[in-house]
Amino acid sequence: MVFTAKSPKIDIQEVRSLSKLEGQVLANKLQRDQELEAIIRGEDQRILLVIGPCSSDNEEAVLEYAKRLSKLQEEVKDRIFMVMRVYTAKPRTNGDGYKGLIHQPNAKEAPSLINGIKAVRHLHYRVISETGMITADEMLYPENLPLVDDLISYMAVGARSVEDQQHRFVASGADFATGFKNPTSGNLNVMFNGIYAAQNKQSFLFLGKEVETTGNPLSHAILRGALNEYGKNIPNYYYDNLMDTIAQYEKMGLENPFIIIDTNHDNSGKQYMEQIRIVRQTLINRDWNEKIKKYVRGFMIESYLEDGRQNEPEVFGKSITDPCLGWENTEALVREIYQRLGE
């Protein structure tokens, strides 16, 4: 093996001392964390939206988005609870391309992971402290979780990671809501095995120590569609898909059954405007079937300031990874959801 050290060993406690939440800001975050937990447990029937940019590539654009989202959250808070996507590490199918803020704190410059860690903490801190929103991120690198777990309130295990034992076991030690996506194959057994593993106690080696976890009862399902052997996207938000997922939940007897529909990725075929139709269809299915209404209580929506995507970071607030809904479409969709829930 050839690994060349590019920095001294990282002091986790020193990193955690940077951008640390304190006082009323911390108290407000903990209060919203409790509200989120109550939603996952089914004690609070508000709809959960995990919403925001595909990737958080520009601090000022992300903060502008967060301020707008915070204002909108206040207006719809009696029916909708929002957690903002502040995704700072991006999986790449073949390793090429933009890998997120943690790799490149400046998307126009070379990678700098040490500065990236600082930038990640600083961004989550600013969103939380300046807007009152709580944040979500993807657990792409499990060993990095201790660098941010005091800041984030929601964690996603992605389609390429859901079958990995380390991701599952580390999620079992997280004390916040963790969503498991179905793999790109669409195999629900893989996702449910991941949820089962995360909800139970596990023992393993982590960061050079033998550890034991408590299990994470807030682990749950995210349906994100699939790809077949020909590269064609296969959605899994349809009525029959939802009933199949609910049946598997009931068969396995997992705690706190909760299903989020990822409205982008292989559900939309990355046609970002399709997210609106997918939400509408899911709300119709919830109205039609009480089981779906009981289990399907969240959406993951990719949105930013501007519609679509771009290859280079030229337009402020436009995604440089997957295409997103722009702010006007996002606001209209959230208000539509709010109105439908009140009917």
Side-chain angles (χ1 to χ4, degrees), residues 86-284:
V86 181
Y87 277 32
T88 58
K90 299 300 299 179
R92 311 309 303 184
T93 302
N94 64 4
D96 291 340
Y98 177 69
K99 301 178 184 68
L101 189 71
I102 193 166
H103 280 263
Q104 286 178 264
N106 187 323
K108 295 182 179 181
E109 297 179 359
S112 175
L113 277 84
I114 296 301
N115 289 327
I117 292 168
K118 297 175 182 177
V120 166
R121 285 194 62 87
H122 186 63
L123 181 56
H124 279 283
Y125 175 83
R126 286 195 67 190
V127 170
I128 297 164
S129 63
E130 295 181 26
T131 72
M133 298 298 296
I134 55 174
T135 61
D137 209 336
E138 179 172 349
M139 182 172 62
L140 185 58
Y141 307 114
E143 63 274 15
N144 287 355
L145 184 60
L147 300 173
V148 294
D149 66 345
D150 59 319
L151 293 172
I152 64 174
S153 299
Y154 184 99
M155 179 171 69
V157 178
R160 298 168 182 81
S161 304
V162 66
E163 201 162 4
D164 178 65
Q165 183 157 295
Q166 189 185 28
H167 281 81
R168 294 173 171 185
F169 283 15
V170 171
S172 75
D175 60 355
F176 42 73
T178 302
F180 281 76
K181 291 192 175 186
N182 62 264
T184 54
S185 68
N187 187 330
L188 295 186
N189 287 328
V190 170
M191 176 185 72
F192 276 110
N193 286 336
I195 297 170
Y196 177 87
Q199 288 195 356
N200 285 277
K201 294 181 180 180
Q202 305 295 347
S203 298
F204 58 105
L205 295 176
F206 187 59
L207 299 178
K209 298 178 181 179
E210 181 179 354
V211 298
E212 182 177 274
T213 66
T214 57
N216 180 355
L218 304 180
S219 301
H220 58 273
I222 304 175
L223 299 180
R224 51 86 72 202
L227 281 175
N228 68 15
E229 63 270 32
Y230 304 107
K232 177 178 172 55
N233 68 297
I234 308 295
N236 62 1
Y237 61 88
Y238 296 131
Y239 186 94
D240 289 347
N241 302 125
L242 300 182
M243 296 305 293
D244 288 344
T245 306
I246 291 167
Q248 185 79 336
Y249 250 129
E250 293 178 339
K251 178 182 177 181
M252 295 184 70
L254 296 167
E255 293 185 74
N256 305 315
F258 192 92
I259 299 170
I260 287 178
I261 303 300
D262 178 345
T263 60
N264 215 6
H265 298 101
D266 289 326
N267 272 329
S268 70
K270 298 188 180 180
Q271 302 299 310
Y272 66 92
M273 289 297 292
E274 285 291 284
Q275 295 186 95
I276 298 169
R277 184 186 59 78
I278 292 167
V279 168
R280 288 172 178 167
Q281 183 166 335
T282 304
L283 292 175
I284 290 171

